[in-house]
Amino acid sequence: TGALQVYEINSGDVSLLKEAEKQTAFKCGTFGAAHAKQRHLATGDFKGRLMTWDLENLELPVYSVKAHDEIINVMDGCGGLGIGGGAPELVTGSRDGAVKVWDTRQKEKPVACMEPGENEQRRDCWSVTFGDSFNDEDRCVCAGYDNGDVKLFDLRKMALRWETNLKNGICFMEFDRKDVEMNKLVVTTLESKFHVFDMRTQHPTKGFAHLTEKVNQATVWSSRHLPQNRDIFMTCGGNGSLNLWKYSYPAKRVNVDDDGIAEGVVGTVDLLQNATLSSQPISSLDWNRDKAGLAVCTSFDQSFRVLIVTKLNRI
């Protein structure tokens, strides 16, 4: 509906502070490229516009650009909130098949654009995420598409570093940390599966070692790593459930094959806890960076829920 609402948590309850309604419905948003003090919210809408908003004044956007020809399905931010080196940037993925990187200090033109050639088929981009931003020069973008394609772009070299296909549409992907050298990548898909890739060692032919886990009989819509412990993550199910997982590293993360080439060794995941919150899919979740275990999730039942996960310090 194009509604923007700002809520405050106070004494165990939530209260609406501000709201505004715009002409075009929003599809995605992030604070990932915002300054810690300003907290400008970046949004992508159904008409392909990328905008940033000052939550103190929602009348007009701080920044606005026609980013894509069609709906912006997804976006991510990096370099803001003190997370990741380098400039604050946004990455957007659209139904038009393009993945674009934006610096809001630069008007109209993207910093980088990754899209198919003229004679290549354009797949619907469903997920994007930043990673490998451990200094001022290095940064990568990983993109997932409706046909199961996963592509890793190196922004420093402006080259495709790796690609694979997981056979089901990619719903969500996230590195365990944006501001370290690539370590782990969780990818969720249709057909109730998620995949964990060990991103430290890339084999020239086999790529990155990974595991696949089947969760339930529903799409896995999202997955978010706990900010205080990157080996714990939550998945959001199409059956209204949340599942809390812990990743355990193998005794040895690298093996050398008969040709003397290093290849990664993937670990294991264990289900710590699960709960069903709704009869409708849980579409998104976000952890609080300051209070371990505090989270908020949204559902297709038109509700958001504030959650507390306890005993995380004992894991």
Side-chain angles (χ1 to χ4, degrees), residues 122 210 246 261:
R122 290 180 174 266
H210 82 286
K246 183 179 188 299
I261 301 174

Side-chain angles (χ1 to χ4, degrees), residues 8-247:
E8 180 183 52
I9 302 176
N10 194 4
S11 301
D13 199 6
V14 293
S15 55
L16 181 64
L17 292 182
K18 289 191 176 185
E19 67 177 324
E21 189 158 343
K22 306 303 174 183
Q23 291 182 342
T24 306
F26 298 110
K27 182 65 169 66
C28 52
T30 182
F31 285 105
H35 190 277
K37 292 184 179 179
Q38 293 175 328
R39 296 293 175 97
H40 287 171
L41 174 67
T43 60
D45 67 21
F46 276 67
K47 290 187 177 179
R49 293 203 70 84
L50 166 64
M51 291 176 278
T52 61
W53 303 87
D54 181 355
L55 298 185
E56 299 296 327
N57 181 8
L58 294 173
E59 185 175 350
L60 293 172
V62 177
Y63 172 85
S64 179
V65 65
K66 176 68 172 174
H68 292 270
D69 296 330
E70 298 188 54
I71 179 176
I72 299 176
N73 288 321
V74 64
M75 66 166 49
D76 191 24
C78 192
L81 305 182
I83 303 169
E89 291 178 333
L90 296 162
V91 59
T92 55
S94 169
R95 185 182 293 165
D96 63 16
V99 174
K100 298 181 181 181
V101 179
W102 303 86
D103 185 333
T104 56
R105 299 169 300 180
Q106 177 176 307
K107 281 285 187 181
E108 300 303 327
K109 290 186 178 181
V111 176
C113 179
M114 291 74 77
E115 60 182 338
E118 290 185 8
N119 299 321
E120 295 179 340
Q121 186 177 7
R122 290 180 174 266
R123 305 301 314 196
D124 198 346
C125 181
W126 283 0
S127 182
V128 291
T129 186
F130 278 116
D132 209 33
S133 184
F134 59 94
N135 59 31
D136 290 345
E137 289 80 34
D138 290 278
R139 187 172 287 178
C140 72
V141 164
C142 200
Y145 300 82
D146 65 334
N147 64 338
D149 280 349
V150 175
K151 297 178 185 289
L152 180 67
F153 302 100
D154 187 325
L155 296 182
R156 184 176 185 177
K157 298 179 180 178
M158 284 308 300
L160 178 65
R161 175 170 172 178
W162 167 75
E163 62 180 330
T164 189
N165 185 279
L166 299 179
K167 299 180 181 179
N168 289 300
I170 309 300
C171 298
F172 192 85
M173 53 176 57
E174 184 185 55
F175 287 97
D176 56 357
R177 287 287 183 276
K178 289 185 174 76
D179 54 354
V180 299
E181 290 185 63
M182 287 190 301
N183 187 53
K184 298 193 306 296
L185 175 71
V186 173
V187 181
T188 72
T189 70
L190 303 176
E191 303 294 337
S192 64
K193 293 178 183 177
F194 72 83
H195 308 258
V196 182
F197 289 85
D198 185 308
M199 304 297 289
R200 277 294 164 92
T201 307
Q202 182 178 1
H203 190 275
T205 57
K206 298 178 183 177
F208 297 100
H210 82 286
L211 64 84
T212 302
E213 187 79 17
K214 194 172 178 67
V215 184
N216 45 49
Q217 300 303 314
T219 294
V220 185
W221 281 93
S222 182
S223 172
R224 299 305 298 267
H225 291 85
L226 183 69
Q228 294 81 10
N229 185 343
R230 68 182 183 184
D231 297 328
I232 296 173
F233 60 96
M234 186 89 82
T235 57
C236 306
N239 61 349
S241 67
L242 292 175
N243 291 272
L244 187 69
W245 304 85
K246 183 179 188 299
Y247 180 87

